[in-house]
């Protein structure tokens, strides 16, 4: 935990950090607020969207798009250490490679905790305002989407950490990260049968926050295979471990 | 004297380029050890390897007789190349981060800032510092947990004459407290003024090393002349302590073996009935020797 305290010392006075976090919070609030006022057939969608308990699924599905922003934030924090040469200095001053990776992973855990709590607060607020059923069972019966989202956010950001340690330059890393998550893996998925590619990192991670109404969509376009959130948790945790281990290997095998 | 740093056949290859080539040297406790060489001679690569940030291609090194570890790192304060800090943090904040990493007492921070003369500017962000202040902050950072060994890479690089003098003064003051200092520099003058020992590197290879005094003293030259040079030359051939001599126009340049001086030569010449009209001791500047040593 000393590592996390040191990371906080570095991050808290950093304007770029607050800027990206500000955008994250602002965009989330904005998108959720505007979607409540979208009217379909003369009825505001808000009442429809924010009914407990389905709210949690919708909320985490929307939030999962913003993992990209969290990933970019983490990339900035890691590549900064290269451009300021402070990564070198940390190792000279006594940190081991394992501790260097761990300190960034703790930041990832912190950010994931923050965004999950933020979703909890946001969900409770929207639900209590718009939901017809506000009984405890309605509120909490599907709240397990939040822990699934938590795992997903960690995994996305850990992949960003790996990309940043691997590529070192912030701009290139961000491009590579977006290209991989949004283009390269989907192309691979397209060329592989569902029963294999459902275990691929991006697909397994996305399975943690399934698209609302997916079953309905499956009936129209033909069934497609995806892991259930519960089934996707173990592969996701394994991927987190793998990304961390690969980050460690990159540091171990290369000059800093 | 205990050995602080021992380097054994250390090499680093970048493709076909040998940045450091089978380097072996030992740094004794309490010495100010200069790594001298032109830019690109492998000084920073060598320091990078012993500081655990560059992987050696082969060879080994040890600190205080042990491999590198958190414990040995905490006994060494080091800066590699340019000062490395977070530009958006204040000097004090930067040192807090470093104190965390070194396991140093945070009470030392203000003390060190005062020592390097940044006490009144400790709340300025690093990016607002002048180069001299940055170098001094780096020194403060290196000394934060009162290490036994300081490793400094071009500590006066880019400083104005006053800054250079201040930093050198600071180094000598730190050394007088019994600390070992390893100093990489491409400035001969700096090494000559500050160091007790020197290792000269050229293209990654060790050219020569030893106490600074030895390397300077071993290269003393004499210039002599006389009315008639022929008998002088004849006698020089017979004298056992003449390392080498050469005639130049109307004078002779010669080097003596260690332990002899112009007095011996003058006496022997006189004993043979030769009166020298001129005898000059010329201590070659380290600069000249350095250029000679590193000539490929």
């Amino acid at each position: 935990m000393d590592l996390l305290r040191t990371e906080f010392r570095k991050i808290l006075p950093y304007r770029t950090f607050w800027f990206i976090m500000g955008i994250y919070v602002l965009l989330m609030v904005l998108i959720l607020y505007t979607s409540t006022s979208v009217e379909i057939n003369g009825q505001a969608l808000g009442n429809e969207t924010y009914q407990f308990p389905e709210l949690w699924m919708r909320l985490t599905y929307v939030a999962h798009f913003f993992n990209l922003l969290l990933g970019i934030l983490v990339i900035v924090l890691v590549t900064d250490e290269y451009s300021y040469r402070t990564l070198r200095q940390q190792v000279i001053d006594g940190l081991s490679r394992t501790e260097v990776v761990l300190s960034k992973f703790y930041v990832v855990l912190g950010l994931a905790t923050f965004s999950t709590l933020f979703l909890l607060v946001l969900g409770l607020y929207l639900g209590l305002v718009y939901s017809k059923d506000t009984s405890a069972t309605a509120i909490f019966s599907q709240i397990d989407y939040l822990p699934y989202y938590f795992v997903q956010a960690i995994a996305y950001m850990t992949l960003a950490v790996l990309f940043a340690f691997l590529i070192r330059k912030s701009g290139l890393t961000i491009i590579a990260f977006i290209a991989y998550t949004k283009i390269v893996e989907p192309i691979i998925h397209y060329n592989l049968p569902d029963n294999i590619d459902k275990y691929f990192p991006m697909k397994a991670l996305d399975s943690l926050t399934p698209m609302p109404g997916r079953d309905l969509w499956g009936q129209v376009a033909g069934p497609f295979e995806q892991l259930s959130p519960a089934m996707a948790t173990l592969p996701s945790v394994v991927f987190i471990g793998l990304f961390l281990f690969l980050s460690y290997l990159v540091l171990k095998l290369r000059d800093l | 004297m205990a050995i602080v740093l021992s380097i054994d056949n250390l090499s680093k290859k970048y493709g076909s380029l040998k940045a450091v080539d089978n380097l072996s040297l030992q740094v004794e406790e309490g010495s100010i050890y200069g790594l001298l060489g032109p830019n690109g001679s492998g000084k920073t690569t060598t320091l990078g390897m012993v500081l655990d940030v560059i992987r050696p291609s082969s060879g080994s090194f040890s600190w205080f007789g042990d491999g590198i570890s958190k414990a040995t790192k905490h006994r060494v304060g080091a800066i590699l190349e340019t000062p490395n800090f977070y530009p958006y943090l204040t000097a004090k904040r930067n040192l807090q981060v470093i104190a965390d990493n070194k396991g140093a007492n945070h009470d030392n921070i203000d003390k060190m800032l005062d020592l390097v003369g940044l006490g009144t500017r400790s709340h300025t962000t690093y990016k607002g510092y002048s180069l001299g202040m940055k170098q001094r902050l780096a020194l403060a950072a290196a000394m934060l947990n009162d290490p036994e060994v300081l490793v400094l890479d071009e500590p006066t690089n880019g400083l104005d004459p006053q800054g250079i003098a201040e930093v050198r003064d600071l180094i000598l003051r730190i050394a007088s407290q019994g600390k070992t200092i390893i100093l990489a520099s491409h400035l001969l003058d700096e090494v000559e003024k500050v160091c007790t020992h020197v290792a000269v590197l050229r293209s990654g290879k060790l050219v020569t090393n030893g106490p600074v005094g030895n390397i300077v003293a071993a290269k003393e030259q004499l210039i002599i002349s006389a009315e008639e040079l022929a008998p002088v030359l004849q006698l020089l051939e017979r004298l056992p302590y003449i390392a080498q001599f050469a005639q130049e126009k109307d004078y002779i340049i010669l080097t003596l073996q260690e332990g002899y001086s112009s007095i011996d030569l003058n006496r022997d010449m006189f004993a043979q009935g030769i009166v020298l009209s001129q005898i000059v001791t010329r201590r070659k500047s380290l600069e000249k020797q350095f250029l000679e040593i590193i000539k490929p």
Side-chain angles (χ1 to χ4, degrees):
Chain A
M1 280 306 106
D2 285 351
L3 291 172
L4 185 60
R5 194 190 54 200
T6 309
E7 289 299 311
F8 273 138
R9 280 194 212 283
K10 296 191 277 197
I11 291 172
L12 292 183
Y14 192 22
R15 246 184 250 158
T16 308
F17 170 80
W18 292 110
F19 185 68
I20 296 180
M21 286 310 279
I23 292 178
Y24 175 80
V25 169
L26 210 71
L27 282 181
M28 285 282 287
V29 171
L30 209 67
I31 213 162
L32 291 169
Y33 177 75
T34 50
S35 65
T36 58
S37 48
V38 170
E39 289 190 4
I40 294 177
N41 297 334
Q43 195 189 5
L45 204 58
N47 300 344
E48 201 51 46
T49 315
Y50 301 116
Q51 296 301 320
F52 286 127
E54 296 85 9
L55 170 146
W56 298 117
M57 188 190 203
R58 299 202 178 99
L59 203 60
T60 52
Y61 180 72
V62 170
H64 108 280
F65 288 105
F66 293 92
N67 283 333
L68 204 61
L69 209 53
L70 294 179
I72 289 172
L73 173 57
V74 169
I75 288 171
V76 168
L77 293 180
V78 173
T79 52
D80 269 356
E81 303 272 9
Y82 281 105
S83 50
Y84 304 148
R85 292 171 164 275
T86 40
L87 189 83
R88 262 183 165 197
Q89 195 62 46
Q90 282 173 33
V91 172
I92 289 173
D93 288 342
L95 291 197
S96 66
R97 266 103 175 136
T98 315
E99 285 171 322
V100 169
V101 176
L102 270 184
S103 63
K104 292 302 173 218
F105 183 58
Y106 291 156
V107 173
V108 164
L109 287 183
L111 287 173
T113 307
F114 165 78
S115 59
T116 306
L117 289 178
F118 178 59
L119 282 190
L120 175 69
V121 171
L122 214 58
L124 286 176
Y125 171 75
L126 291 170
L128 291 174
V129 170
Y130 292 104
S131 185
K132 282 176 223 127
D133 186 357
T134 50
S135 66
T137 38
I139 293 175
F140 294 113
S141 66
Q142 289 190 20
I143 205 164
D144 52 346
Y145 278 107
L146 281 183
Y148 291 140
Y149 167 78
F150 181 64
V151 173
Q152 185 192 52
I154 293 171
Y156 255 94
M157 285 188 276
T158 314
L159 181 65
V161 168
L162 171 60
F163 269 69
F165 277 128
L166 201 63
I167 302 174
R168 305 179 192 197
K169 301 253 187 287
S170 61
L172 278 180
T173 310
I174 291 171
I175 292 171
F177 182 65
I178 295 175
Y180 178 76
T181 54
K182 301 298 168 197
I183 301 169
V184 176
E185 250 216 50
I187 291 175
I188 298 173
H189 296 163
Y190 187 72
N191 291 303
L192 285 176
D194 277 350
N195 58 356
I196 297 175
D197 72 25
K198 66 182 175 186
Y199 293 108
F200 270 55
M202 285 307 116
K203 205 152 189 187
L205 293 185
D206 286 348
S207 308
L208 289 166
T209 56
M211 188 165 72
R214 178 171 56 93
D215 296 339
L216 203 74
W217 179 250
Q219 283 165 17
V220 179
F224 62 96
E225 212 181 324
Q226 199 180 17
L227 296 169
S228 69
M231 289 283 288
T233 305
L234 182 64
S236 301
V237 171
V238 170
F239 278 125
I240 292 172
L242 185 70
F243 298 154
L244 289 176
F245 178 67
L246 289 176
S247 301
Y248 167 77
L249 272 192
V250 168
L251 290 182
K252 183 83 193 160
L253 297 179
R254 260 203 328 216
D255 296 337
L256 299 181
Chain B
M1 271 295 187
I3 300 297
V4 166
L5 170 65
S6 175
I7 297 177
D8 190 23
N9 284 313
L10 205 58
S11 295
K12 177 66 183 179
K13 289 188 199 113
Y14 292 108
S16 62
L17 176 81
K18 284 184 172 171
V20 175
D21 192 1
N22 265 315
L23 181 69
S24 296
L25 52 87
Q26 295 197 319
V27 177
E28 285 178 2
E29 189 183 344
S31 59
I32 307 181
Y33 201 101
L35 273 181
L36 182 61
N39 294 329
S41 58
K43 303 181 300 279
T44 299
T45 309
T46 303
L47 293 182
M49 285 192 282
V50 300
L51 292 172
D52 192 30
V53 293
I54 296 176
R55 283 162 51 84
S57 303
S58 62
S60 63
F61 60 90
S62 65
W63 286 101
F64 317 105
D66 288 318
I68 191 120
S69 65
K70 192 178 279 277
T72 53
K73 282 180 186 179
H74 285 174
R75 296 168 70 181
V76 179
I79 33 173
L80 200 56
E81 289 181 283
T82 49
N84 307 321
F85 296 98
Y86 299 91
Y88 55 87
L89 294 183
T90 64
K92 193 162 180 173
R93 214 30 128 122
N94 265 305
L95 290 192
Q96 284 172 347
V97 169
I98 287 171
D100 283 350
N101 291 337
K102 288 183 179 221
N105 189 339
H106 282 245
D107 296 341
N108 285 346
I109 292 172
D110 287 331
K111 221 162 54 193
M112 284 305 148
L113 283 169
D114 286 337
L115 182 75
V116 296
L118 292 175
T120 54
R121 297 295 301 274
S122 65
H123 294 287
T124 308
T125 54
Y126 175 72
K127 60 172 178 269
Y129 269 23
S130 69
L131 189 56
M133 293 163 81
K134 287 176 179 178
Q135 293 278 21
R136 280 185 279 154
L137 184 65
L139 271 178
M143 292 186 296
L144 209 49
N145 60 341
D146 198 21
E148 295 156 58
V149 186
L150 270 185
V151 180
L152 306 173
D153 189 6
E154 310 271 3
T156 57
N157 215 1
L159 297 186
D160 56 21
Q162 194 198 342
I164 291 175
E166 278 172 19
V167 167
R168 281 184 190 160
D169 190 50
L170 199 58
I171 291 171
L172 289 173
R173 224 158 63 212
I174 297 161
S176 69
Q177 296 164 12
K179 294 194 192 302
T180 310
I181 294 176
I182 300 170
L183 175 91
S185 178
H186 64 274
L187 302 172
L188 308 140
D189 175 57
E190 179 159 282
V191 170
E192 195 179 16
K193 279 188 178 132
V194 175
C195 296
T196 58
H197 292 69
V198 62
V200 182
L201 297 183
R202 184 188 65 222
S203 342
K205 285 196 181 74
L206 182 66
V207 180
T208 179
N209 68 337
V212 169
N214 277 6
I215 289 182
V216 176
K219 293 283 180 177
E220 229 170 45
Q221 281 189 329
L222 292 181
I223 297 171
I224 57 173
S225 46
E227 300 262 298
E228 290 276 336
L229 285 185
V232 178
L233 288 168
Q234 275 171 20
L235 180 58
L236 285 177
E237 265 170 44
R238 296 209 309 275
L239 289 175
Y241 52 83
I242 306 294
Q244 58 178 66
F245 66 92
Q247 186 181 354
E248 302 242 345
K249 287 182 208 155
D250 55 347
Y251 58 92
I252 298 167
I253 295 182
L254 54 91
T255 21
L256 303 178
Q257 282 175 4
E258 228 171 298
Y260 293 89
S261 72
S262 54
I263 298 171
D264 301 290
L265 183 73
N266 200 11
R267 187 193 301 119
D268 287 342
M269 285 285 167
F270 202 72
Q272 296 296 318
I274 301 170
V275 181
L276 296 173
S277 60
Q278 158 174 278
I279 179 160
V280 176
T281 307
R282 190 168 79 180
R283 177 175 283 229
K284 274 205 287 184
S285 77
L286 194 56
E287 179 104 26
K288 213 165 190 177
Q289 289 173 44
F290 176 67
L291 290 174
E292 223 159 76
I293 289 169
I294 63 163
K295 239 187 295 181

